[in-house]
Amino acid sequence: MKKKSAAAMAMAATAGMSVRNVLWLWWKLLVLVSLTICVLAFLKLQNYSLSDSELSSSTSSISSRSRAVDYTGNPKVAFLFLVRRNLPLDFLWGNFFENADTGNFSIYVHSEPGFVFDESTTRSTFFYNRQLTNSIKVAWGESSMIQAEKLLLGAALDDPANQRFVLLSDSCVPLYNFSFIYNYLMASRRSFVDSFLDKKDVRYNPRMSPYIPMSKWRKGSQINPKSCSKIKGKEHLPAPSNGKMMYKSEKELGNQRGLQKTYADNN
């Protein structure tokens, strides 16, 4: 009886140690998985977010170039296209620029890195080799969109003749002829930003915080004409830490024939 009792106690002790070992193993595994998730989240944040120092450096560079000279020659409008890859509506923009004086406008395109606008990728010669050479990979809803806008603006500010800046997406179309838009922008001393609060909008992504808090989220278009003389302070720069980020919602614009008719009716 004593031998059986001792054997039972030994088995019980062994079972207790086995359970403790299993629990300890699961605890270490849980800690390891948690640490891995934290590291991956940190790396993703580093890849897709801009640091405060990068934003400050970019803002200072743009601001200094905008104040560099007081241009007295023929002013130009800089059209800044932020596109995914190619420009689907290039045929409309080609018609828009066709009868314009080339000394009155400049074209800059931010596309995916490595994409080139030439006879094989665009139907309009106005866009040949107009892509930025320092473009970055852009993701919707990420601060990379803001950096791409700054690259466009920075490239345009290298030409002192550019006195107005219009930010456009690949789904934007001109509804009036060039002379009307040129004269309207040159006569205005204001900046135009289409931004409004839509309480029904559900596209805010919590991952955009803290750069874009939910209280600062607005809907609006990407058309943003600006006067070069006003690009001096942070209020006219797309800084995500205290600014507003605007996105143009994706909508079907109709077939080419309908678009051409819309353009023709307004020219």
PDB file of all heavy atoms in Angstrom, residues 80-106:
ATOM      1  N   LEU A  80      -0.521  70.526 -61.496  1.00  0.00           N
ATOM      2  CA  LEU A  80       0.148  69.464 -60.750  1.00  0.00           C
ATOM      3  C   LEU A  80      -0.756  68.235 -60.714  1.00  0.00           C
ATOM      4  O   LEU A  80      -1.760  68.213 -59.995  1.00  0.00           O
ATOM      5  CB  LEU A  80       0.478  69.929 -59.332  1.00  0.00           C
ATOM      6  CG  LEU A  80       1.087  71.332 -59.212  1.00  0.00           C
ATOM      7  CD1 LEU A  80       1.311  71.687 -57.743  1.00  0.00           C
ATOM      8  CD2 LEU A  80       2.393  71.423 -59.992  1.00  0.00           C
ATOM      9  N   PHE A  81      -0.393  67.217 -61.457  1.00  0.00           N
ATOM     10  CA  PHE A  81      -1.204  66.011 -61.548  1.00  0.00           C
ATOM     11  C   PHE A  81      -0.662  64.934 -60.611  1.00  0.00           C
ATOM     12  O   PHE A  81       0.488  64.515 -60.733  1.00  0.00           O
ATOM     13  CB  PHE A  81      -1.208  65.472 -62.987  1.00  0.00           C
ATOM     14  CG  PHE A  81      -1.944  66.338 -63.969  1.00  0.00           C
ATOM     15  CD1 PHE A  81      -1.290  67.381 -64.619  1.00  0.00           C
ATOM     16  CD2 PHE A  81      -3.287  66.120 -64.233  1.00  0.00           C
ATOM     17  CE1 PHE A  81      -1.963  68.182 -65.529  1.00  0.00           C
ATOM     18  CE2 PHE A  81      -3.974  66.913 -65.142  1.00  0.00           C
ATOM     19  CZ  PHE A  81      -3.309  67.951 -65.792  1.00  0.00           C
ATOM     20  N   LEU A  82      -1.505  64.503 -59.687  1.00  0.00           N
ATOM     21  CA  LEU A  82      -1.163  63.397 -58.793  1.00  0.00           C
ATOM     22  C   LEU A  82      -1.969  62.182 -59.251  1.00  0.00           C
ATOM     23  O   LEU A  82      -3.180  62.106 -59.036  1.00  0.00           O
ATOM     24  CB  LEU A  82      -1.510  63.757 -57.342  1.00  0.00           C
ATOM     25  CG  LEU A  82      -1.264  62.688 -56.267  1.00  0.00           C
ATOM     26  CD1 LEU A  82       0.174  62.204 -56.296  1.00  0.00           C
ATOM     27  CD2 LEU A  82      -1.624  63.212 -54.888  1.00  0.00           C
ATOM     28  N   VAL A  83      -1.306  61.237 -59.899  1.00  0.00           N
ATOM     29  CA  VAL A  83      -2.002  60.111 -60.531  1.00  0.00           C
ATOM     30  C   VAL A  83      -1.443  58.785 -60.032  1.00  0.00           C
ATOM     31  O   VAL A  83      -0.341  58.718 -59.492  1.00  0.00           O
ATOM     32  CB  VAL A  83      -1.886  60.182 -62.071  1.00  0.00           C
ATOM     33  CG1 VAL A  83      -2.433  61.506 -62.576  1.00  0.00           C
ATOM     34  CG2 VAL A  83      -0.437  60.014 -62.524  1.00  0.00           C
ATOM     35  N   ARG A  84      -2.231  57.724 -60.242  1.00  0.00           N
ATOM     36  CA  ARG A  84      -1.786  56.393 -59.822  1.00  0.00           C
ATOM     37  C   ARG A  84      -0.691  55.867 -60.746  1.00  0.00           C
ATOM     38  O   ARG A  84       0.328  55.373 -60.293  1.00  0.00           O
ATOM     39  CB  ARG A  84      -2.969  55.424 -59.839  1.00  0.00           C
ATOM     40  CG  ARG A  84      -4.066  55.761 -58.840  1.00  0.00           C
ATOM     41  CD  ARG A  84      -5.228  54.793 -59.024  1.00  0.00           C
ATOM     42  NE  ARG A  84      -6.308  55.055 -58.094  1.00  0.00           N
ATOM     43  CZ  ARG A  84      -7.255  55.956 -58.293  1.00  0.00           C
ATOM     44  NH1 ARG A  84      -7.249  56.682 -59.405  1.00  0.00           N
ATOM     45  NH2 ARG A  84      -8.211  56.141 -57.406  1.00  0.00           N
ATOM     46  N   ARG A  85      -0.952  55.974 -62.057  1.00  0.00           N
ATOM     47  CA  ARG A  85       0.001  55.468 -63.046  1.00  0.00           C
ATOM     48  C   ARG A  85      -0.039  56.364 -64.280  1.00  0.00           C
ATOM     49  O   ARG A  85       0.712  57.310 -64.395  1.00  0.00           O
ATOM     50  CB  ARG A  85      -0.311  54.007 -63.393  1.00  0.00           C
ATOM     51  CG  ARG A  85       0.694  53.364 -64.345  1.00  0.00           C
ATOM     52  CD  ARG A  85       0.397  51.885 -64.531  1.00  0.00           C
ATOM     53  NE  ARG A  85       1.209  51.283 -65.574  1.00  0.00           N
ATOM     54  CZ  ARG A  85       2.437  50.846 -65.411  1.00  0.00           C
ATOM     55  NH1 ARG A  85       3.013  50.949 -64.215  1.00  0.00           N
ATOM     56  NH2 ARG A  85       3.122  50.305 -66.418  1.00  0.00           N
ATOM     57  N   ASN A  86      -0.961  56.084 -65.196  1.00  0.00           N
ATOM     58  CA  ASN A  86      -1.114  56.937 -66.369  1.00  0.00           C
ATOM     59  C   ASN A  86      -2.217  57.966 -66.129  1.00  0.00           C
ATOM     60  O   ASN A  86      -2.758  58.056 -65.018  1.00  0.00           O
ATOM     61  CB  ASN A  86      -1.429  56.088 -67.607  1.00  0.00           C
ATOM     62  CG  ASN A  86      -2.770  55.371 -67.474  1.00  0.00           C
ATOM     63  OD1 ASN A  86      -3.250  55.132 -66.375  1.00  0.00           O
ATOM     64  ND2 ASN A  86      -3.370  55.029 -68.592  1.00  0.00           N
ATOM     65  N   LEU A  87      -2.554  58.728 -67.164  1.00  0.00           N
ATOM     66  CA  LEU A  87      -3.588  59.754 -67.056  1.00  0.00           C
ATOM     67  C   LEU A  87      -4.719  59.379 -68.012  1.00  0.00           C
ATOM     68  O   LEU A  87      -4.647  59.656 -69.212  1.00  0.00           O
ATOM     69  CB  LEU A  87      -3.008  61.123 -67.407  1.00  0.00           C
ATOM     70  CG  LEU A  87      -3.828  62.357 -67.038  1.00  0.00           C
ATOM     71  CD1 LEU A  87      -4.085  62.405 -65.544  1.00  0.00           C
ATOM     72  CD2 LEU A  87      -3.115  63.617 -67.487  1.00  0.00           C
ATOM     73  N   PRO A  88      -5.784  58.725 -67.516  1.00  0.00           N
ATOM     74  CA  PRO A  88      -6.850  58.219 -68.393  1.00  0.00           C
ATOM     75  C   PRO A  88      -7.538  59.297 -69.224  1.00  0.00           C
ATOM     76  O   PRO A  88      -8.009  59.018 -70.324  1.00  0.00           O
ATOM     77  CB  PRO A  88      -7.832  57.562 -67.409  1.00  0.00           C
ATOM     78  CG  PRO A  88      -7.048  57.321 -66.164  1.00  0.00           C
ATOM     79  CD  PRO A  88      -6.033  58.424 -66.102  1.00  0.00           C
ATOM     80  N   LEU A  89      -7.615  60.510 -68.711  1.00  0.00           N
ATOM     81  CA  LEU A  89      -8.330  61.583 -69.397  1.00  0.00           C
ATOM     82  C   LEU A  89      -7.374  62.545 -70.092  1.00  0.00           C
ATOM     83  O   LEU A  89      -7.673  63.730 -70.239  1.00  0.00           O
ATOM     84  CB  LEU A  89      -9.213  62.329 -68.395  1.00  0.00           C
ATOM     85  CG  LEU A  89     -10.235  61.441 -67.660  1.00  0.00           C
ATOM     86  CD1 LEU A  89     -10.996  62.243 -66.611  1.00  0.00           C
ATOM     87  CD2 LEU A  89     -11.202  60.812 -68.644  1.00  0.00           C
ATOM     88  N   ASP A  90      -6.222  62.031 -70.524  1.00  0.00           N
ATOM     89  CA  ASP A  90      -5.245  62.902 -71.181  1.00  0.00           C
ATOM     90  C   ASP A  90      -5.769  63.517 -72.469  1.00  0.00           C
ATOM     91  O   ASP A  90      -5.343  64.604 -72.871  1.00  0.00           O
ATOM     92  CB  ASP A  90      -3.952  62.142 -71.447  1.00  0.00           C
ATOM     93  CG  ASP A  90      -4.179  60.850 -72.244  1.00  0.00           C
ATOM     94  OD1 ASP A  90      -5.333  60.569 -72.616  1.00  0.00           O
ATOM     95  OD2 ASP A  90      -3.183  60.138 -72.482  1.00  0.00           O
ATOM     96  N   PHE A  91      -6.709  62.848 -73.146  1.00  0.00           N
ATOM     97  CA  PHE A  91      -7.245  63.387 -74.394  1.00  0.00           C
ATOM     98  C   PHE A  91      -8.018  64.684 -74.145  1.00  0.00           C
ATOM     99  O   PHE A  91      -8.007  65.592 -74.980  1.00  0.00           O
ATOM    100  CB  PHE A  91      -8.149  62.356 -75.086  1.00  0.00           C
ATOM    101  CG  PHE A  91      -9.391  62.002 -74.318  1.00  0.00           C
ATOM    102  CD1 PHE A  91     -10.595  62.618 -74.605  1.00  0.00           C
ATOM    103  CD2 PHE A  91      -9.349  61.052 -73.307  1.00  0.00           C
ATOM    104  CE1 PHE A  91     -11.748  62.293 -73.904  1.00  0.00           C
ATOM    105  CE2 PHE A  91     -10.502  60.729 -72.592  1.00  0.00           C
ATOM    106  CZ  PHE A  91     -11.699  61.343 -72.890  1.00  0.00           C
ATOM    107  N   LEU A  92      -8.685  64.773 -72.983  1.00  0.00           N
ATOM    108  CA  LEU A  92      -9.390  66.013 -72.644  1.00  0.00           C
ATOM    109  C   LEU A  92      -8.417  67.125 -72.299  1.00  0.00           C
ATOM    110  O   LEU A  92      -8.580  68.275 -72.728  1.00  0.00           O
ATOM    111  CB  LEU A  92     -10.346  65.771 -71.474  1.00  0.00           C
ATOM    112  CG  LEU A  92     -11.700  65.136 -71.798  1.00  0.00           C
ATOM    113  CD1 LEU A  92     -12.503  64.919 -70.531  1.00  0.00           C
ATOM    114  CD2 LEU A  92     -12.468  66.026 -72.757  1.00  0.00           C
ATOM    115  N   TRP A  93      -7.404  66.784 -71.528  1.00  0.00           N
ATOM    116  CA  TRP A  93      -6.411  67.792 -71.164  1.00  0.00           C
ATOM    117  C   TRP A  93      -5.594  68.222 -72.381  1.00  0.00           C
ATOM    118  O   TRP A  93      -5.165  69.369 -72.469  1.00  0.00           O
ATOM    119  CB  TRP A  93      -5.499  67.252 -70.061  1.00  0.00           C
ATOM    120  CG  TRP A  93      -6.185  67.195 -68.736  1.00  0.00           C
ATOM    121  CD1 TRP A  93      -6.671  66.088 -68.099  1.00  0.00           C
ATOM    122  CD2 TRP A  93      -6.498  68.298 -67.899  1.00  0.00           C
ATOM    123  NE1 TRP A  93      -7.261  66.430 -66.920  1.00  0.00           N
ATOM    124  CE2 TRP A  93      -7.168  67.788 -66.763  1.00  0.00           C
ATOM    125  CE3 TRP A  93      -6.282  69.671 -67.991  1.00  0.00           C
ATOM    126  CZ2 TRP A  93      -7.615  68.612 -65.737  1.00  0.00           C
ATOM    127  CZ3 TRP A  93      -6.726  70.488 -66.954  1.00  0.00           C
ATOM    128  CH2 TRP A  93      -7.379  69.958 -65.854  1.00  0.00           C
ATOM    129  N   GLY A  94      -5.401  67.309 -73.322  1.00  0.00           N
ATOM    130  CA  GLY A  94      -4.720  67.682 -74.557  1.00  0.00           C
ATOM    131  C   GLY A  94      -5.500  68.738 -75.318  1.00  0.00           C
ATOM    132  O   GLY A  94      -4.923  69.718 -75.823  1.00  0.00           O
ATOM    133  N   ASN A  95      -6.817  68.574 -75.405  1.00  0.00           N
ATOM    134  CA  ASN A  95      -7.660  69.588 -76.041  1.00  0.00           C
ATOM    135  C   ASN A  95      -7.629  70.904 -75.271  1.00  0.00           C
ATOM    136  O   ASN A  95      -7.670  71.986 -75.843  1.00  0.00           O
ATOM    137  CB  ASN A  95      -9.104  69.086 -76.141  1.00  0.00           C
ATOM    138  CG  ASN A  95      -9.251  67.936 -77.114  1.00  0.00           C
ATOM    139  OD1 ASN A  95      -8.439  67.781 -78.017  1.00  0.00           O
ATOM    140  ND2 ASN A  95     -10.272  67.117 -76.912  1.00  0.00           N
ATOM    141  N   PHE A  96      -7.557  70.786 -73.956  1.00  0.00           N
ATOM    142  CA  PHE A  96      -7.546  71.965 -73.090  1.00  0.00           C
ATOM    143  C   PHE A  96      -6.291  72.807 -73.335  1.00  0.00           C
ATOM    144  O   PHE A  96      -6.355  74.041 -73.422  1.00  0.00           O
ATOM    145  CB  PHE A  96      -7.612  71.505 -71.635  1.00  0.00           C
ATOM    146  CG  PHE A  96      -7.481  72.605 -70.627  1.00  0.00           C
ATOM    147  CD1 PHE A  96      -8.523  73.477 -70.383  1.00  0.00           C
ATOM    148  CD2 PHE A  96      -6.301  72.758 -69.895  1.00  0.00           C
ATOM    149  CE1 PHE A  96      -8.408  74.490 -69.431  1.00  0.00           C
ATOM    150  CE2 PHE A  96      -6.180  73.759 -68.949  1.00  0.00           C
ATOM    151  CZ  PHE A  96      -7.237  74.628 -68.721  1.00  0.00           C
ATOM    152  N   PHE A  97      -5.133  72.156 -73.451  1.00  0.00           N
ATOM    153  CA  PHE A  97      -3.876  72.881 -73.638  1.00  0.00           C
ATOM    154  C   PHE A  97      -3.597  73.233 -75.101  1.00  0.00           C
ATOM    155  O   PHE A  97      -2.682  74.020 -75.381  1.00  0.00           O
ATOM    156  CB  PHE A  97      -2.704  72.043 -73.101  1.00  0.00           C
ATOM    157  CG  PHE A  97      -2.719  71.857 -71.610  1.00  0.00           C
ATOM    158  CD1 PHE A  97      -2.781  70.575 -71.061  1.00  0.00           C
ATOM    159  CD2 PHE A  97      -2.660  72.938 -70.751  1.00  0.00           C
ATOM    160  CE1 PHE A  97      -2.787  70.392 -69.692  1.00  0.00           C
ATOM    161  CE2 PHE A  97      -2.665  72.768 -69.377  1.00  0.00           C
ATOM    162  CZ  PHE A  97      -2.729  71.484 -68.839  1.00  0.00           C
ATOM    163  N   GLU A  98      -4.358  72.679 -76.025  1.00  0.00           N
ATOM    164  CA  GLU A  98      -4.066  72.794 -77.449  1.00  0.00           C
ATOM    165  C   GLU A  98      -3.955  74.247 -77.922  1.00  0.00           C
ATOM    166  O   GLU A  98      -3.025  74.618 -78.640  1.00  0.00           O
ATOM    167  CB  GLU A  98      -5.142  72.072 -78.265  1.00  0.00           C
ATOM    168  CG  GLU A  98      -4.805  71.932 -79.744  1.00  0.00           C
ATOM    169  CD  GLU A  98      -3.638  70.983 -79.973  1.00  0.00           C
ATOM    170  OE1 GLU A  98      -3.549  69.955 -79.274  1.00  0.00           O
ATOM    171  OE2 GLU A  98      -2.806  71.296 -80.848  1.00  0.00           O
ATOM    172  N   ASN A  99      -4.901  75.071 -77.528  1.00  0.00           N
ATOM    173  CA  ASN A  99      -4.943  76.446 -78.016  1.00  0.00           C
ATOM    174  C   ASN A  99      -4.353  77.450 -77.019  1.00  0.00           C
ATOM    175  O   ASN A  99      -4.541  78.664 -77.179  1.00  0.00           O
ATOM    176  CB  ASN A  99      -6.387  76.846 -78.345  1.00  0.00           C
ATOM    177  CG  ASN A  99      -6.970  75.987 -79.458  1.00  0.00           C
ATOM    178  OD1 ASN A  99      -6.288  75.686 -80.427  1.00  0.00           O
ATOM    179  ND2 ASN A  99      -8.231  75.588 -79.297  1.00  0.00           N
ATOM    180  N   ALA A 100      -3.663  76.943 -76.006  1.00  0.00           N
ATOM    181  CA  ALA A 100      -3.088  77.826 -74.988  1.00  0.00           C
ATOM    182  C   ALA A 100      -1.661  78.206 -75.363  1.00  0.00           C
ATOM    183  O   ALA A 100      -0.958  77.466 -76.060  1.00  0.00           O
ATOM    184  CB  ALA A 100      -3.097  77.141 -73.632  1.00  0.00           C
ATOM    185  N   ASP A 101      -1.235  79.361 -74.909  1.00  0.00           N
ATOM    186  CA  ASP A 101       0.145  79.802 -75.088  1.00  0.00           C
ATOM    187  C   ASP A 101       1.024  78.986 -74.147  1.00  0.00           C
ATOM    188  O   ASP A 101       0.807  78.975 -72.926  1.00  0.00           O
ATOM    189  CB  ASP A 101       0.247  81.293 -74.780  1.00  0.00           C
ATOM    190  CG  ASP A 101       1.638  81.860 -75.065  1.00  0.00           C
ATOM    191  OD1 ASP A 101       2.598  81.059 -75.188  1.00  0.00           O
ATOM    192  OD2 ASP A 101       1.773  83.091 -75.152  1.00  0.00           O
ATOM    193  N   THR A 102       2.011  78.280 -74.686  1.00  0.00           N
ATOM    194  CA  THR A 102       2.862  77.432 -73.861  1.00  0.00           C
ATOM    195  C   THR A 102       3.632  78.219 -72.807  1.00  0.00           C
ATOM    196  O   THR A 102       4.157  77.635 -71.855  1.00  0.00           O
ATOM    197  CB  THR A 102       3.865  76.654 -74.736  1.00  0.00           C
ATOM    198  OG1 THR A 102       4.616  77.589 -75.529  1.00  0.00           O
ATOM    199  CG2 THR A 102       3.126  75.687 -75.657  1.00  0.00           C
ATOM    200  N   GLY A 103       3.707  79.539 -72.982  1.00  0.00           N
ATOM    201  CA  GLY A 103       4.380  80.364 -71.983  1.00  0.00           C
ATOM    202  C   GLY A 103       3.495  80.705 -70.807  1.00  0.00           C
ATOM    203  O   GLY A 103       3.942  81.381 -69.871  1.00  0.00           O
ATOM    204  N   ASN A 104       2.241  80.203 -70.827  1.00  0.00           N
ATOM    205  CA  ASN A 104       1.302  80.521 -69.749  1.00  0.00           C
ATOM    206  C   ASN A 104       1.050  79.356 -68.798  1.00  0.00           C
ATOM    207  O   ASN A 104       0.275  79.501 -67.849  1.00  0.00           O
ATOM    208  CB  ASN A 104      -0.040  80.974 -70.333  1.00  0.00           C
ATOM    209  CG  ASN A 104       0.043  82.353 -70.957  1.00  0.00           C
ATOM    210  OD1 ASN A 104       0.926  83.145 -70.629  1.00  0.00           O
ATOM    211  ND2 ASN A 104      -0.883  82.642 -71.861  1.00  0.00           N
ATOM    212  N   PHE A 105       1.665  78.217 -69.041  1.00  0.00           N
ATOM    213  CA  PHE A 105       1.398  77.085 -68.152  1.00  0.00           C
ATOM    214  C   PHE A 105       2.598  76.144 -68.090  1.00  0.00           C
ATOM    215  O   PHE A 105       3.457  76.127 -68.973  1.00  0.00           O
ATOM    216  CB  PHE A 105       0.154  76.309 -68.606  1.00  0.00           C
ATOM    217  CG  PHE A 105       0.311  75.582 -69.916  1.00  0.00           C
ATOM    218  CD1 PHE A 105       0.764  74.269 -69.959  1.00  0.00           C
ATOM    219  CD2 PHE A 105      -0.002  76.219 -71.118  1.00  0.00           C
ATOM    220  CE1 PHE A 105       0.906  73.601 -71.166  1.00  0.00           C
ATOM    221  CE2 PHE A 105       0.141  75.558 -72.327  1.00  0.00           C
ATOM    222  CZ  PHE A 105       0.596  74.236 -72.355  1.00  0.00           C
ATOM    223  N   SER A 106       2.618  75.366 -67.014  1.00  0.00           N
ATOM    224  CA  SER A 106       3.603  74.302 -66.814  1.00  0.00           C
ATOM    225  C   SER A 106       2.857  73.054 -66.373  1.00  0.00           C
ATOM    226  O   SER A 106       1.794  73.141 -65.754  1.00  0.00           O
ATOM    227  CB  SER A 106       4.634  74.686 -65.748  1.00  0.00           C
ATOM    228  OG  SER A 106       5.312  75.878 -66.101  1.00  0.00           O
TER     229      SER A 106
END
